[in-house]
Amino acid sequence: MNHQIGTVVSLMVDGQKVTVPGGTSVMQAAAVVDIKVPKLCATDSLDAFGSCRVCLVEIEGRKGYPASCTTEVEEGMVVHTQSDRLNGLRRNVVELYVSDHPLDCMNCSANGDCELQDTAEALGVESCRYGMDGRNHQDAEKDTSNPYFTFDPSQCIVCYRCVRACDDIQGTFALSVDGRGFASRIIAGQSDSFIESDCVSCGACVDHCPTEALTENTIIEHGLPERSVVTTCAYCGVGCSLVAELKGDQVLRMTPDKHGQANEGHACIKGRFAFGYATHQDRITKPMIRENIDDPWREVSWDEAFRYTADRLRSIQSEYGRDSIGGITSSRCTNEETFLVQKMIRAAFGNNNVDTCARVCHSPTGYGLKTTLGESAGTQAFNSVAHADVVMVMGANPSDAHPVFASRLKHRLRQGAKLIVVDPRRIELVNSPHIRADHHLAVRPGGNVAFINAMAHVVVTEGLEAGDFIAQRCEDEAYRHWREFICNEQNSPEVTERATGIPASELRAAAWLFATASNAAIYYGLGVSEHSQGSTAVMGIANLAMVTGNLGREGVGVNPLRGQNNVQGSCDMGSFPHELPGYRHVSDNAVRKLFENEWNVQLHSEPGLRIPNMFDAAISGHFKGLYVQGEDLAQSDPNTQHVERALKSMECLVVQDIFLNETARFAHVFLPGSSFLEKNGTFTNAERRISMVRKAIEPLAGMEDWEVTMALSNALGYPMNYSHPSEIMDEIARLTPTFTGVSYEKLERMGSIQWPCNEDAQEGTPTMHVGKFVRGKGYFAITGFVPTEERTTRHFPLLLTTGRILSQYNVGAQTRRTANSEFYSEDVLEIHPFDAEERGISQDDWCGVSSRAGNTVLRAVISERMQPGVVYTTFHFPSSGANVVTTDNSDWATNCPEYKVTAVQVSHVSEPSQWQKEYSAFARRQEELLDKARVSD
Amino acid sequence: MQEIEQLVKMANQIADNFSFHEDAVDRLEDHLQRFWAPSMRKKLIEFLDAGGDGLKPDVIAAVQRLQFP
């Protein structure tokens, strides 16, 4: 390298003066003055490689024809990109490519979307003087093993773009080039098929392929799209910006948006490919009602559905009281939709019985971060990780659950950042291509608070505190109390070792690594929050960040990785029963007055019921009606038997969804929902980034979800009259201090906005707590370790913990209805070889899993990823009954279920559990009742 | 588990988590007031009035102070 960071270089390109930063390539410098140098292997999203030899230029005073993509600018350089000699050389090169890649463009599915075609045209290459009689690859066999794309080696020009995308962007290193010269060919794994290799189907190779060699099957089948709509992914909390590309009303492909600020041109198998569910035959597009859940469904008009629903809900309130009904918002729905649902419940139902599925995932994040830092949100933008020197990933598995963030993280780790993984399982990050965690602390399920306290204990007792930061930024008295608490020997790694299972010496080493880093960042997930002390663990994480001074700048922070696309947004929008939008308590008279004036109604000043409280109240007989938008309680909530009992106790259960999900089988009213492709709105991702969701096709049921809620509210007698979701956002902005600067106009202009966005931060806030905390001074919360009541015994000697897999998403309602099921078609039980052998269990055996709550049967996968004594499963398939086994233990502060710790016994069995048999019969019966509605149509 | 059993379990769990504070009862009362629906608080008050078997001392002290709208 002959430049220094920060230097500026001036040069001449084709007679034009260009000034660019040192280190810029000649090709990039030319692009600054709109000079396009022909190219094949170069692309702006990958480091230059210099293999195709098409982008040759002439540089005065320099011999030969250097590749402009790999040649850096120099002061005073004079570059010529066009000359007869250059064009001749380029044509020769392209002709050689064409000699093995005939320009039969009219018969090619990539016709019009092929860089070789474009380059050949630009250079005037219309045929090949060498003919096709020599050796070529035209008979090379296609790899059609991946359900989403095809690799056609005969179209490959071995430019390495796919290999580099897999390495540098995705970080999987699944592709390489085998052979040399003419024999060179792209291979997946050790010359496996794509499906058999380590390929994770992120689509980066397809995105970067300049020809038809790697092409989506939908494009091969239907041809190129005709129009596109930029929107936001409806899967995880990364919130990738995607381009929906359509022909007519058919979405042909979803591609990652290069300008997307959350994902910067990358995607994963779910967002990139698993969109087919939106038009799956299981979609229900007509409203349905029934008196009892044993009755057949009856399709009705929207008007009748709204009238029927309103009458039943009002009738229940007349008989059982105002508080006998409630509703649930969804983290899969837009901000505008969740805002309307909570508004309808507070204003039309007249109570605060509103909750959201964040109850069962990140509600402890809200409590913990609000208490310690003053705001219920993560502190950083995703790109902050590029500045981290040490990253601690605790109770999260980003490779599977937040893959696009995982790719960013891996990129930073390959640059040399250190990694601490705190997880009972040996997750992929612990040891993956070119990445090895410096510490894998295999904490025992239930030991998180003991662990995080021990980390802080080491920091404080070994003099590693950030004294100046604490003195300037944190409450002094609270700090002194906490310091006294944390220094107690009970919090030492040696004493906590029994609870954590982590050797004290390794924990001490990890604490030193974390505390002595210039920038140390913490990323955590549901492995932190879904515990009986989930809120305490979140506060412990905030304490650790504060005591080491790792807040308020890039490269540090406390970063909850949100499970679903709009967890952050649904919480922001006032979905909790004790908070109005903007996390303001319902008992605050001034805040309530603000909403009462806007909504023209008197609001309740007392908190309402949370989801588990609703279930308990339903079984007790005084909670009778529930409106559920876009959430599948029956599959996702713990202790399925308890949930089913509660749902059966309802006199009116209203489900609004795109499918007849597990909860809808217990419903009396079904209101057809719209997928993210069918509506306008916004999602807010885990970095507080508000992004536009744009309608790509008309709603299959005729109404967008916000219109359905609005109509239901009107039927209930509380008028709502919005003509577009932008008006709902305007109302949110009027009522919510952190959103006052947000509007659709600004979102269109900026692409996305990270809240707070108001007078103090008109362009939004990528990093929070800069200079001071939202609450003023940071609060060190006392985080005493209280062991969970869920203990192992002789009868239940193993601990079950649950999680996700890459190709499936949550309850699987979306991904199970796509080809993603070819990658993962059933939930399995991961078990350590010792535990399996002790029980006589072999690979793929059926295992009975019994807990104090219930029993289910899963197929065994024997894996050393598990630690002895701990087993693991996912919850993507309803018939698996993973939540039949989980208990109704919950976080002390928020009632977030303790999914991550269930004492179980595992045994070899030969038939499904009783619950599974009953589930099959019930599901079959409900399908028959649905079929009757369809037959009568 | 009956609703009241669940409420007792939850209240005791909150008490355990506040037990590290000198003002544990104040915090417990505040938590119940801020996060529990009135119907839940009412049930706990009635349960205490009926004897409160199984409630931890801090819970009893906090519930005695609870306001009900």
Side-chain angles (χ1 to χ4, degrees), chain A residues 520-570:
Chain A
I522 304 171
Y523 292 81
Y524 72 91
L526 304 184
V528 165
S529 57
E530 291 177 342
H531 286 266
S532 66
Q533 281 200 294
S535 293
T536 314
V538 172
M539 293 189 289
I541 284 171
N543 289 342
L544 182 64
M546 285 191 289
V547 77
T548 53
N550 280 305
L551 284 159
R553 63 181 187 278
E554 282 196 302
V556 298
V558 175
N559 302 278
L561 294 171
R562 310 286 190 159
Q564 302 197 77
N565 49 322
N566 203 32
V567 173
Q568 182 69 56
S570 69

Side-chain angles (χ1 to χ4, degrees), chain A residues 102-163:
Chain A
L103 290 173
D104 185 19
C105 300
M106 297 307 289
N107 294 316
C108 176
S109 62
N111 184 21
D113 186 27
C114 171
E115 294 180 46
L116 179 59
Q117 181 185 23
D118 295 343
T119 304
E121 275 180 17
L123 295 171
V125 177
E126 294 175 351
S127 60
C128 170
R129 82 187 87 155
Y130 310 114
M132 297 297 296
D133 296 334
R135 283 197 303 152
N136 60 53
H137 297 88
Q138 293 310 298
D139 295 329
E141 191 179 348
K142 292 180 183 177
D143 181 344
T144 58
S145 63
N146 189 292
Y148 293 120
F149 60 84
T150 292
F151 175 51
D152 182 353
S154 72
Q155 304 296 324
C156 178
I157 59 171
V158 200
C159 65
Y160 284 71
R161 272 203 203 174
C162 55
V163 178

Side-chain angles (χ1 to χ4, degrees), chain A residues 532-533 536 578 585 606-610 613 616-617 620 622 779 782 784 786 888-890 892-893 895, chain B residues 1 3 6 9-10 13-14 16-18 20-21 27 31 33-41 43 69:
Chain A
S532 66
Q533 281 200 294
T536 314
H578 65 285
H585 201 273
E606 289 281 351
L609 295 167
R610 300 162 171 173
N613 312 144
D616 293 339
S620 287
H622 54 93
Y779 177 75
I782 303 290
V786 179
D888 49 16
N889 287 345
S890 65
W892 66 274
N895 278 146
Chain B
M1 189 180 284
E3 185 179 14
Q6 187 67 30
K9 178 181 172 182
M10 286 160 51
Q13 195 186 354
I14 297 167
D16 287 342
N17 277 275
F18 281 135
F20 301 90
H21 296 269
R27 287 171 183 262
H31 188 92
Q33 202 75 46
R34 289 179 68 80
F35 295 106
W36 281 34
S39 59
M40 296 161 66
R41 301 203 301 268
K43 283 192 171 54

Side-chain angles (χ1 to χ4, degrees), chain A residues 430-468:
Chain A
V430 172
N431 188 3
S432 59
H434 301 281
I435 289 169
R436 180 150 312 176
D438 297 86
H439 298 282
H440 173 211
L441 309 179
V443 64
R444 272 181 70 74
N448 282 344
V449 171
F451 160 75
I452 204 78
N453 283 345
M455 289 284 282
H457 177 92
V458 174
V459 171
V460 174
T461 57
E462 302 201 19
L464 302 173
E465 302 147 278
D468 291 345

